[in-house]
Amino acid sequence: MATLLRTPAGRRADALVERVVDVPVLTLAESPAPAVEAAPAPLSEEPGRALALSDVIAAPAGPGEALIRFAYRLGIPGHALSQPFRRPQALRVLATVESPNRGDRAAGTALRAGHFLVLGARLPIAQLDFTGSARPAPALERVLHSFSWLADLAAAAQRADAIPVAERITSLWLHAHKEPGKGPAWEVEHAGLRLLAWLVHAPLVLAGNDKSLKSRMLAAIGETASWLDKRAGREAPGLAQVAGWAGIVAAGLLLPHGKPRRLYGEAGLVKALGDMVGEDGGVLSRCPAAQLEAIRLLTDLIACYDAVRVAPPPALQVMRELLVPPLLALRHGDGALGNWQGQAAIPADRVNAVIEASGVRTRPLATAQGWGYQRIKAGDTLVQFDAAPPPRARHVRTGCASTLAFELSDGPARVIVNCGGAALAGGQVPARIGQGLRASAAFSTLVLDNANSTAVLLHGQLGKGVETVELERRMVPARGREATRIEAAHDGYAARFGLTHQRILTLSADGTELAGEDILVPAAKNGKRGKIAFAIRFHLGRGVEVQLSGDRRGASLLLPDGRLWQFRMGGDRAGAGEITLSAEDSLWVDGEGRPHATEQLVIEGLALRSGGQFSWLLKKTG
């Protein structure tokens, strides 16, 4: 390679001082189209000079507010700080929030019919265990305990029709959770999202005729806010901590004597956002679902500020605008997201709804840093390439060994994909295969000796493996026009097998050819002796029909809309024996959590420990 950018596992948004300052606060509607560029030189971080995000964009607090924040953190009640000589006001919600976020109408209609609709599965309300002791599938657990279903119900019915349903489910949940405790309901992420949902959709749970439920609901709101006051700051950096602080801020805005809590929460929230988001606006968990949820959460929280006519800290609006471009970079031609870090192809309508509600108008991120997903667009062809290490342990959600995998779409049709769906295991995706969907073999990349490039551990965690990825992106001449070329290499196999995997992708200017090379380079000066098995997998999109050529070195790929692509192996160098191409079974998980039987092309054989080079070509022919 030529000059390379070494990409560590992630850098905080705090380091991006100049870039944050330059981001417009109110609109990105007139932002220019980003050009396709070579990777920039690494940003230098000097510990003594790096500024925190809060130092750059948070509204400066005067000594009075700083003192109030400090006193509240010490445990002095909000009413004693805001109105020290008056009797505390009764607990109530001070304003009605009008959030532009909209829920899932189909899921809301299902609730009115008496069941939850989660990832395509219908679950009767009367049969659910709201205590969480049975530990349902994670997706259902999240819907139950975050109260995200309130937005779905609001989208499916008029308020008068929705209130009885909301009261029924809320009453069942409150009966199972009479006071703060342990278990999934009292994870900080669930508690923060739940408190925010209760306050944003307060008319659904507080405006009914059941006075007893209203009293219990208000008590639960107050108890949850107080519980989060003590717990949010202890949570590991990431979406969970941000959700906890967001719940605190919302309570500070919408409950009496809330200013001390709001000031306390805003300081924690700005810091948590800086810890969660990298310098290019991508969350450090590298999880598309977390990116989407963070945007939605900030939109709800800013709506809370609007409801009480308080200006939100500039940090919230700036951060929301930073979060949108990386998410847009993962949209394929059909508008849905790619299958990355355990997520399925989140549907286009869900993505579009969140982006529209945010009010941010911008373009996809052109060149990623910590976010890691490189995007190449030419004609109708779009390539997404994972060119960064997996997330660090403190940020990981459903970690996957996907380094140097790619996806390719042609218009609305997906040609090359990753399986996805590990985070949805336990629903329609069988729980027993969830671990396998996180493995390198479930991604369109090279695998050595059937081993993962990064160790896949239980409970979504990752072990040793890829530490750094070296990356170069540039334009190269091809047939009189410029093609986009990305070279990346990872060290995930260096310690075990003494080999570095380098992948080169070159997309032609018209998008009709994607040339690839997978190169095994000795990690040490003197390579090891012997041979090692390898497999290069290309998981095919749903509905793609594959036909191997007569010489078994190529295949035709017929897309559902009739377009045709050809796959062809090139000449391999340093292969130890026969290199074969075969078609095998695979699966792909859609945005509703449904697994679909698909196929995959597999190049496999033996490579010399001293290194090897294997080239291939995808060409659009019709």
Side-chain angles (χ1 to χ4, degrees):
M1 290 186 183
T3 304
L4 298 174
L5 170 64
R6 186 174 296 275
T7 307
R11 291 166 56 190
R12 295 171 48 192
D14 299 15
L16 192 59
V17 176
E18 294 83 5
R19 209 160 164 192
V20 169
V21 171
D22 289 339
V23 172
V25 173
L26 295 180
T27 179
L28 292 179
E30 299 180 0
S31 58
V36 179
E37 302 172 348
L43 296 175
S44 59
E45 281 188 285
E46 298 179 33
R49 299 179 61 185
L51 297 180
L53 181 65
S54 55
D55 295 331
V56 181
I57 55 180
E65 291 187 348
L67 183 61
I68 291 173
R69 183 184 300 132
F70 176 72
Y72 189 82
R73 186 167 63 246
L74 292 179
I76 299 177
H79 68 84
L81 293 169
S82 59
Q83 294 180 324
F85 302 111
R86 295 184 182 181
R87 181 179 300 177
Q89 297 180 31
L91 190 63
R92 60 193 177 92
V93 177
L94 299 176
T96 299
V97 180
E98 298 291 341
S99 174
N101 281 323
R102 295 292 176 264
D104 184 334
R105 186 181 180 89
T109 302
L111 287 170
R112 296 184 64 196
H115 52 260
F116 281 92
L117 179 63
V118 181
L119 297 176
R122 295 179 181 273
L123 306 157
I125 296 171
Q127 298 178 17
L128 290 177
D129 176 16
F130 284 85
T131 65
S133 58
R135 293 310 297 253
L140 174 60
E141 193 172 79
R142 183 179 181 83
V143 169
L144 284 180
H145 300 308
S146 72
F147 273 64
S148 62
W149 55 267
L150 281 173
D152 301 335
L153 186 59
Q158 296 294 324
R159 183 175 296 173
D161 297 326
I163 284 175
V165 180
E167 287 185 330
R168 177 194 174 194
I169 302 173
T170 301
S171 180
L172 290 170
W173 191 93
L174 290 175
H175 180 75
H177 301 277
K178 296 180 180 179
E179 59 185 20
K182 297 181 180 180
W186 295 101
E187 294 174 3
V188 168
E189 183 171 345
H190 290 160
L193 293 174
R194 178 170 67 249
L195 180 57
L196 185 59
W198 282 344
L199 293 169
V200 170
H201 300 285
L204 293 184
V205 293
L206 292 174
N209 297 321
D210 190 337
K211 302 302 180 183
S212 172
L213 176 62
K214 180 178 180 179
S215 175
R216 291 160 57 204
M217 186 74 249
L218 286 171
I221 289 173
E223 289 170 354
T224 303
S226 298
W227 185 87
L228 284 170
D229 285 341
K230 301 172 184 176
R231 299 299 198 285
R234 304 177 192 173
E235 189 71 12
L239 182 62
Q241 189 182 62
V242 168
W245 285 115
I248 291 171
V249 173
L253 289 164
L254 293 165
L255 300 182
H257 310 295
K259 183 177 180 180
R261 172 177 275 147
R262 173 175 65 82
L263 294 174
Y264 168 68
E266 285 174 348
L269 178 59
V270 169
K271 182 180 183 300
L273 286 167
D275 288 339
M276 179 184 74
V277 179
E279 58 186 12
D280 55 8
V283 295
L284 295 179
S285 66
R286 305 193 60 226
C287 174
Q291 189 88 7
L292 190 71
E293 183 64 38
I295 297 169
R296 183 181 180 92
L297 181 151
L298 288 176
T299 298
D300 274 342
L301 186 58
I302 290 172
C304 293
Y305 280 93
D306 293 340
V308 294
R309 299 182 181 180
V310 173
L316 304 189
Q317 295 170 322
V318 170
M319 185 57 72
R320 184 171 60 173
E321 292 176 354
L322 282 174
L323 286 165
V324 173
L327 184 72
L328 296 179
L330 289 187
R331 286 203 301 189
H332 278 290
D334 59 1
L337 301 185
N339 292 40
W340 299 105
Q341 286 300 312
Q343 300 304 312
I346 299 175
D349 56 352
R350 195 179 310 167
V351 176
N352 293 339
V354 172
I355 300 301
E356 182 178 350
S358 75
V360 177
R361 300 295 177 263
T362 185
R363 297 179 182 273
L365 181 68
T367 304
Q369 300 284 333
W371 182 233
Y373 301 109
Q374 296 292 320
R375 178 181 186 269
I376 318 174
K377 180 77 165 65
D380 291 333
T381 303
L382 190 148
V383 175
Q384 297 173 7
F385 185 30
D386 183 357
R392 295 295 191 191
R394 64 192 299 214
H395 296 292
V396 70
R397 292 177 72 83
T398 308
C400 298
S402 60
T403 312
L404 301 196
F406 79 99
E407 292 196 340
L408 180 147
S409 59
D410 180 9
R414 301 192 182 207
V415 185
I416 305 296
V417 299
N418 302 308
C419 296
L424 311 182
Q428 296 186 78
V429 176
R432 66 181 183 276
I433 70 170
Q435 195 81 342
L437 292 175
R438 299 168 55 207
S440 294
F443 292 84
S444 295
T445 188
L446 176 143
V447 181
L448 283 181
D449 199 30
N450 203 29
N452 295 319
S453 57
T454 298
V456 173
L457 308 179
L458 297 176
H459 309 300
Q461 294 299 304
L462 295 172
K464 294 182 179 180
V466 178
E467 291 294 332
T468 60
V469 172
E470 295 181 330
L471 171 69
E472 181 189 19
R473 177 172 178 149
R474 58 194 170 104
M475 306 302 292
V476 296
R479 299 180 183 177
R481 302 177 66 184
E482 286 194 326
T484 305
R485 178 186 177 98
I486 298 181
E487 303 179 30
H490 76 73
D491 58 357
Y493 293 121
R496 286 169 287 174
F497 306 127
L499 292 168
T500 296
H501 174 210
Q502 178 182 350
R503 170 165 272 186
I504 303 174
L505 299 180
T506 305
L507 183 65
S508 63
D510 59 3
T512 59
E513 289 188 8
L514 178 68
E517 289 182 78
D518 286 290
I519 305 170
L520 297 174
V521 181
K525 191 171 184 180
N526 298 320
K528 296 182 179 181
R529 295 183 178 181
K531 304 173 184 177
I532 187 169
F534 76 92
I536 307 173
R537 300 182 180 275
F538 303 85
H539 296 274
L540 303 178
R542 181 186 178 191
V544 175
E545 298 180 11
V546 58
Q547 180 68 48
L548 293 176
S549 62
D551 62 0
R552 314 290 285 189
R553 294 189 62 84
S556 61
L557 308 176
L558 181 63
L559 308 189
D561 60 4
R563 282 180 276 193
L564 184 67
W565 283 73
Q566 297 289 338
F567 178 87
R568 192 72 186 169
M569 291 170 54
D572 58 85
R573 283 183 274 175
E578 184 182 7
I579 308 297
T580 63
L581 175 67
S582 61
E584 300 179 3
D585 291 337
S586 182
L587 68 83
W588 176 76
V589 182
D590 69 16
E592 301 300 330
R594 294 184 293 256
H596 300 274
T598 57
E599 293 186 87
Q600 60 177 309
L601 291 174
V602 185
I603 300 173
E604 57 187 337
L606 295 175
L608 296 176
R609 293 277 188 134
S610 58
Q613 181 175 352
F614 312 96
S615 59
W616 45 268
L617 176 70
L618 277 161
K619 184 174 182 179
K620 184 176 180 179
T621 57

